[in-house]
């Protein structure tokens, strides 16, 4: 299978050329059908999927499945810092940015004070991965001790606000039931490998 990661995804970017990770950003709605049309293996969509609407859309665009990350961050099983979890409840898509400031590798996070300072024109270039991660370790540790989300490595995808602070199993069930209802309501069948269209 192939995991197709849209630019909306939180955390480190999956890329073949790390030097292009911040410049070659393709959204999920463009990426999923392009990949699904080009291959004959299952495609798993990820990036910007946070509820039943996103799951149904990904399936309609040719994905065989989805991978969801940021929408689960507020679930108790994720175990993230309470300050980080609380901040995610009100993060709009434009409140996230891609930068190399935390680890030396491009990743999408909440646009915190540190993240914004790290991408400012006057900021020094980050060290390569994993050196930069080591350089920010003390700051991140102290931020966790004090609950200062502005200095945490607060990864977040653009649809993170769609997640809920509820058990992961309940979130999965609600998403899947909602997806089935949307597909049935529209009398739609997913496209892609194994469908009548291929």
């Amino acid at each position: 299978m192939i995991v197709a990661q849209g630019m909306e995804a939180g955390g480190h970017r999956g890329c073949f050329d790390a030097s292009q990770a911040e410049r070659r950003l393709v959204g999920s709605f463009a990426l999923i059908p392009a990949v699904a049309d080009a291959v004959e293996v299952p495609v798993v969509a990820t990036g910007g999927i946070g509820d039943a609407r996103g799951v149904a859309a990904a399936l309609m665009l040719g994905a065989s499945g989805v991978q969801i990350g940021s929408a689960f961050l507020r679930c108790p099983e994720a175990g993230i810092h309470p300050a980080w979890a609380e901040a995610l409840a009100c993060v709009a898509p434009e409140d996230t940015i891609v930068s190399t400031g935390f680890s030396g590798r491009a990743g999408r996070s909440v646009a915190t004070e540190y993240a914004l300072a790290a991408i400012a024109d006057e900021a020094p270039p980050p060290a390569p991965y994993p050196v930069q991660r080591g350089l920010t370790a003390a700051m991140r540790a102290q931020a966790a001790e004090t609950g200062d989300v502005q200095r945490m490595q607060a990864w977040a995808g653009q649809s993170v606000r769609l997640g809920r602070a509820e058990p992961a199993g309940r979130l999965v069930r609600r998403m899947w039931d909602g997806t089935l209802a949307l597909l049935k309501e529209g009398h739609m069948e997913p496209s892609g490998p194994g469908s009548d269209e291929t």
Side-chain angles (χ1 to χ4, degrees):
M1 75 177 64
I2 294 175
V3 176
Q5 183 190 53
M7 70 174 188
E8 303 92 341
H12 283 124
R13 311 230 38 82
C15 59
F16 295 105
D17 182 350
S19 67
Q20 298 294 313
E22 292 176 88
R23 292 191 275 291
R24 301 188 57 133
L25 300 174
V26 179
S28 293
F29 270 33
L31 182 65
I32 297 165
V35 175
D37 290 348
V39 301
E40 296 182 8
V41 298
V43 174
V44 175
T46 189
I49 302 169
D51 63 8
R53 295 169 297 178
V55 175
L59 295 175
M60 293 305 303
L61 290 170
S64 298
V66 299
Q67 176 180 304
I68 299 172
S70 296
F72 287 104
L73 286 175
R74 292 176 59 213
C75 295
E77 294 90 340
I80 67 172
H81 195 286
W84 177 10
E86 183 178 336
L88 296 180
C90 55
V91 171
E94 63 272 20
D95 296 333
T96 67
I97 58 170
V98 174
S99 79
T100 56
F102 285 107
S103 68
R105 287 183 57 204
R108 183 174 295 282
S109 72
V110 177
T112 61
E113 291 173 7
Y114 169 76
L116 291 171
I119 64 168
D121 290 339
E122 64 274 13
Y129 177 85
V131 175
Q132 182 71 14
R133 185 161 174 75
L135 294 174
T136 62
M139 174 191 71
R140 291 182 287 110
Q142 186 180 37
E145 288 176 11
T146 61
D148 181 4
V149 73
Q150 296 302 323
R151 295 180 298 133
M152 287 182 191
Q153 184 174 284
W155 295 134
Q158 289 187 322
S159 293
V160 70
R161 189 167 54 182
L162 296 175
R164 294 189 184 175
E166 65 181 355
R170 187 182 308 162
L171 180 59
V172 170
R173 173 52 59 193
R174 186 168 43 77
M175 274 196 216
W176 185 238
D177 289 346
T179 299
L180 294 178
L182 287 169
L183 294 174
K184 183 178 179 182
E185 179 181 295
H187 304 290
M188 301 175 184
E189 292 295 331
S191 61
S195 74
D196 294 336
E197 295 180 15
T198 57

